[in-house]
Structures are given as C-alpha cells and as structure tokens.
Amino acid sequence: MIDYVELNTRLQQVGQEHLLKFWDELNENERHQLEQDISELDLNELKLYFDRATTSLSQNGLKLDDRLQPLPEDKLLSISRSPEELLAGYRDEGLKQISMGHVAVLLMAGGQGTRLGFAYPKGMYDVGLQSGKTLFRLQAERIIKLEELAFDATGKQGTITWYIMTSEHTIQPTLDYLEGNNYFGLKKENVVLFKQGSLPCFEYDGKIILDQKHRIARAPDGNGGIYRAMKSQGILDDLAKRGILYLHAHSVDNILIRVADPVFVGYCAQENAECAAKVVEKSSPTEAVGVVAIVDGKYQVVEYSEISSKTAEMRNADGRLTFSAGNICNHFFTTAFLHKIGSTYEQELKLHVAKKKIPFIDNSGKRITPENPNGIKIEKFVFDVFEFAQKFVAMEVPRDEEFSALKNADSAGKDCPSTARNDLYRLHKKFVEAAGGIVHGEECEISPFVSYAGENLAPLVQGKSFTTPLYLCSNRENSAHL
C-alpha cells in the first residue's frame, strides 16, 4: 500500500507536490506507476540541476571571443600534413594494443531514425548500399577485420569489446536486431548493451511536467549521460575486469567511422593522452559546427553561436582558419580517466538547456500538445569532460575519408542517406584507384572483410579495370552478394 501522506510530504519539500494532483482519479496500478516514476528521481539533486541549468540558460548567447585560444600545434596532429612513417608507427602501436585486448569501442546509439522516417534505432538503418548493410553491420564487420589485422601484425589474438549505449526506447529493438543477426559474427559476450539515463522535463518555473496523469515527462539526458550510465550499470567495472585500457567512443550515425582506429589509438597511447578528439577542418567560417578550442586555459567544444563572425573568420598566415577544429563526436578515453570522471567530475558536468514543445496534462486532466515551447529539457554533452583531462590531444582527419553523418531524410539534401551512400562509394573508389585499379562509374563498395581502410587491395585490383556497380566482397558475405 502506497503511503500518500509520506509521498506528498517528500514532494512538498522540493516544491513538486503538484505531481499528485490527479491521485484520486488513479487506479491502483497507475498509482504504483506514478510512485515508481517519483522514486526513480533524486529530488534534491534535480532541484540543483534545474538551478544550475537555468543559470546556464541566462548565459546563452554570450560570446567567448576574448577568452578563446585555438588548439596549439603540438596538441593537434593533422593526418594530411604528417609523414607516412609517423602514421605507420602510430598504427603499429594501435594494432599492438588491440592484439593485447586493451582497446574497446564505445558506441553511442541511443537515437531513433525519426528524422529519417524510420521507426527503429538509427543503427539499423540501411542507406541503400549495394550490400544492403546497415550502420550496425558495417561497424561490427570493421571490428572483426581490425581484430584480424592486429593478429596479422603481431601474432596475438586480441578482442575488441563493443559497448553500445542505447536509450530506454531503443535497447530492446537493438538487442533483438543483434541477436537476430548473430551479432554479425562477433561473440555475444563481447557485445555489451546498456542504457543512458533520462531526466524529467521542467516548466520554466522548475515544476516537473506530467506527461500523463500517472507518468512524469522525461527525456534522455544527452550523450554526456554516458558517464553516469557507465558507472551505475557496471560498465566501468566490466572495463577493469577485462583489462581494457583505452576506449574509442563515437556516435552511430557516421557511415565512414573507423572503429577503434589504430592510428588514433596509437597516437593517443604514445602521447599518454587521457582524452582526445578527432576533428575535421571546418569547411567555412559559417559552418554550423562546434570547434575544439581552449577557453580560460581549458579544452572544450565551443558552439558556433558562442563565437562572433569576426573571430570565426580569423585566419593563420597559411590561410587556414584559426578556429578550424570541427567537432565530430569521435573521442578517445583511457579507462583510468573514465573512472576519474565517474567518481569525481560527473557531478560537475555542464548542463545544457533546450526550450522545447513538451506535451503536458493541464489542470482539467486533458493532455495538451503545445504549439510553442513551454518547458525545458536538460542535457549533458559527451565532450564536456575535456576540461578535466590533464593531457588532451586532437587529431585532424580528412573529412572525405572519415566523416559523413546521417541526420536527415533525403529531402534535406545534406547529411542524408544519399550523401552517406555517395560518400562511402567515393571513398571506396579512391581506395581502389590508390591500389592501382581503374573504376569506371561511381557505385563502388568494398566489404569491411576485404579491407578496413583501403589496405591490402593491390593483389585484388592492381592493373585491373572495373565497371560499376562494383562490390568487392569476401567469401564470408551473404550468398546474395557473391
């Protein structure tokens, strides 16, 4: 039996007693559901969250120009401007760490494909490649290939554990999909799913919004929720148990992602970096992307809205933008650093506020879908731990080789299935031609089982001419593609 008086007293102490205003209209099951929703909240912490978040809201729009510095050259390795032998050394180091079982992948895959008109987790989306492979499948097969490359290089068989952070809504369909496809050849015990947390939605005065008479309105706590989720769901303990030292963390929607990239891992390991970011050079001063920079002596991602156009347009002597390090949600962490975040700094993470149109129950008990923003959602961002790193570095990678995001439906014309598909075809054609082949046409796809990042193609393509559609596959592919 639920003690209404005790529950109401707890809520009154933090000004949230309105959550019980429909109590008399609820049946026993609904009362239990509401009581459970409330019990999952740390009410005192939420009061602090709201106060901190709304303070940050009042600071939005402030320009940071006077406090801003670009990344120093000795902290930024540019792939395109580095000698091949240097990169080869980093790659060898990364493959060595993989062969020793020291490297894992941390995939942020909580998003649904809503903007793509797709009612499932975004990782299950097929952009229309000849192979029909989804984002999840491409990334799983790249992991398998990389384990093989590490074995070939060292003679030691290491495992890359695949940690996948889902949301409350995507965990079951993601699990069903992976199980239904036998984890695409990965061992089940090396694929670990966990859920990001959620936070209640608030009215502007700090009152928590009711989504139904017996349900609190909630929203995912952002990709920065990964740190709390890793601690609370035992992922940090699992990393320690498996002897994992390094994690490559990225979002699910980059079709060109080099999972557990050995060059990146090797560079960070040799630099003794606790935390790192891959970046791409901004295409123009006005490109709407955050930049990795230094603010008040600390590394952080600065949103484009926080820099004046004058600062955004600044250029170095060589003509390149001064603030050019575009953030692409592609990061490296040591396990030790993640433990430090979980135990100490997670509570200090910045809180970001978005004004949103949030459905709510009005005083008459009717559910209203507002036409204008009526409340706020609070999020944490994965990159807001940069400032806590003692040693931070960045790696600038070629956009056409490593970054093509899937955000929108084709009608948008950018960051959509067509651009993702064409970017992958263009890159794979470039790989074939670099290995001595000739490709007539554009549709060129290489299975991850054949090549992780363009390596070892010469025996297959050198001196040969191909007409598209071309699909280079291995005998491990589905028979439909042989």
Side-chain angles (χ1 to χ4, degrees):
M1 188 72 181
I2 299 168
D3 186 338
Y4 169 84
V5 175
E6 189 269 337
L7 193 58
N8 191 54
T9 302
R10 275 176 53 210
L11 290 170
Q12 276 184 332
Q13 288 170 350
V14 289
Q16 302 290 353
E17 65 273 15
H18 66 284
L19 295 175
L20 301 180
K21 63 184 172 185
F22 299 109
W23 187 262
D24 292 339
E25 301 174 30
L26 305 181
N27 62 37
E28 198 61 27
N29 285 340
E30 290 170 334
R31 288 179 177 181
H32 272 291
Q33 181 64 70
L34 180 57
E35 193 268 340
Q36 184 179 331
D37 276 12
I38 293 167
S39 70
E40 289 172 359
L41 304 176
D42 184 329
L43 293 167
N44 293 317
E45 182 183 58
L46 285 175
K47 173 76 169 70
L48 294 172
Y49 263 37
F50 180 81
D51 292 345
R52 277 178 57 208
T54 47
T55 300
S56 78
L57 191 63
S58 66
Q59 294 170 349
N60 282 358
L62 294 178
K63 302 297 182 188
L64 298 176
D65 300 48
D66 296 340
R67 300 157 55 197
L68 201 62
Q69 292 175 287
L71 290 177
E73 283 187 19
D74 65 338
K75 300 291 186 189
L76 178 65
L77 177 83
S78 169
I79 293 292
S80 62
R81 294 189 295 279
S82 296
E84 185 53 47
E85 57 269 23
L86 179 67
L87 301 180
Y90 291 140
R91 184 174 186 271
D92 289 345
E93 176 68 25
L95 292 174
K96 184 179 87 173
Q97 295 298 337
I98 289 167
S99 74
M100 295 165 72
H102 290 168
V103 181
V105 172
L106 183 55
L107 175 63
M108 291 169 269
Q112 289 179 291
T114 313
R115 281 160 67 182
L116 299 164
F118 183 65
Y120 298 95
K122 198 187 279 187
M124 291 168 58
Y125 194 79
D126 166 13
V127 302
L129 297 175
Q130 298 170 71
S131 62
K133 291 178 181 178
T134 62
L135 296 172
F136 278 143
R137 181 169 178 181
L138 288 169
Q139 291 168 31
E141 291 182 358
R142 286 172 191 157
I143 288 173
I144 292 169
K145 181 62 175 177
L146 193 50
E147 289 175 341
E148 292 169 1
L149 289 172
F151 176 75
D152 292 344
T154 66
K156 292 182 68 174
Q157 185 64 62
T159 294
I160 299 170
T161 305
W162 201 20
Y163 295 97
I164 303 176
M165 184 178 80
T166 69
S167 67
E168 181 183 355
H169 302 294
T170 60
I171 190 163
Q172 196 58 50
T174 299
L175 183 60
D176 292 345
Y177 177 68
L178 293 171
E179 285 183 343
N181 287 280
N182 199 27
Y183 294 89
F184 299 112
L186 291 165
K187 290 181 179 173
K188 179 179 179 179
E189 62 266 26
N190 296 327
V191 181
V192 182
L193 273 63
F194 65 106
K195 281 187 297 189
Q196 74 183 104
S198 63
L199 288 169
C201 305
F202 294 91
E203 296 180 48
Y204 296 126
D205 61 1
K207 294 275 195 290
I208 294 171
I209 294 173
L210 280 173
D211 181 62
Q212 300 175 47
K213 291 179 182 179
H214 65 292
R215 296 304 310 260
I216 287 171
R218 306 169 78 109
D221 58 1
N223 56 20
I226 201 163
Y227 305 110
R228 177 168 289 202
M230 289 179 79
K231 184 178 182 184
S232 66
Q233 295 183 52
I235 302 301
L236 293 180
D237 293 337
D238 192 67
L239 290 167
K241 187 177 76 182
R242 293 175 188 259
I244 292 165
L245 303 181
Y246 309 117
L247 281 93
H248 180 210
H250 63 87
S251 56
V252 73
D253 57 8
N254 176 10
I255 198 169
L256 302 185
I257 190 73
R258 295 188 182 181
V259 291
D261 176 15
V263 180
F264 189 38
V265 171
Y267 167 60
C268 295
Q270 289 197 355
E271 288 290 319
N272 292 313
E274 289 185 294
C275 175
K278 275 192 179 185
V279 298
V280 296
E281 190 169 358
K282 280 185 67 171
S283 59
S284 71
T286 56
E287 185 182 8
V289 61
V291 294
V292 183
I294 296 176
V295 180
D296 297 335
K298 293 181 177 177
Y299 293 96
Q300 71 176 64
V301 173
V302 179
E303 296 300 333
Y304 58 93
S305 58
E306 296 176 311
I307 309 175
S308 71
S309 57
K310 181 181 177 184
T311 297
E313 289 165 8
M314 286 171 57
R315 294 186 183 271
N316 301 335
D318 61 4
R320 295 174 58 247
L321 290 171
T322 301
F323 295 98
S324 65
N327 179 53
I328 55 173
C329 195
N330 191 326
H331 308 307
F332 165 94
F333 305 108
T334 65
T335 302
F337 180 68
L338 290 173
H339 276 282
K340 195 160 65 173
I341 296 300
S343 62
T344 307
Y345 295 115
E346 196 278 331
Q347 295 165 352
E348 299 176 31
L349 275 185
K350 291 191 185 91
L351 299 174
H352 301 264
V353 174
K355 295 181 179 180
K356 296 286 186 178
K357 294 179 276 192
I358 303 166
F360 66 97
I361 301 296
D362 70 8
N363 288 328
S364 69
K366 184 180 176 187
R367 192 172 192 267
I368 306 292
T369 302
E371 294 182 5
N372 298 303
N374 63 311
I376 65 171
K377 293 181 179 180
I378 300 174
E379 286 186 314
K380 304 170 194 174
F381 293 162
V382 66
F383 50 71
D384 280 332
V385 295
F386 291 179
E387 65 173 290
F388 304 120
Q390 296 296 311
K391 181 72 185 287
F392 177 90
V393 295
M395 175 183 277
E396 183 188 276
V397 298
R399 186 188 295 244
D400 68 329
E401 294 188 3
E402 295 206 35
F403 183 59
S404 179
L406 180 63
K407 305 282 187 192
N408 310 309
D410 269 338
S411 56
K414 69 171 187 175
D415 296 340
C416 61
S418 291
T419 56
R421 181 175 65 248
N422 292 335
D423 287 345
L424 183 135
Y425 283 163
R426 193 178 302 115
L427 176 61
H428 287 190
K429 179 178 178 178
K430 181 174 160 182
F431 285 160
V432 172
E433 293 180 338
I438 298 171
V439 180
H440 301 282
E442 304 307 321
E443 285 184 55
C444 177
E445 183 181 354
I446 304 168
S447 164
F449 289 139
V450 173
S451 184
Y452 169 82
E455 76 292 327
N456 302 331
L457 288 175
L460 292 172
V461 305
Q462 194 167 35
K464 296 180 182 177
S465 180
F466 301 94
T467 302
T468 58
L470 170 64
Y471 180 45
L472 294 179
C473 58
S474 87
N475 54 15
R476 286 186 270 184
E477 306 292 317
N478 290 342
S479 57
H481 300 306
L482 288 174

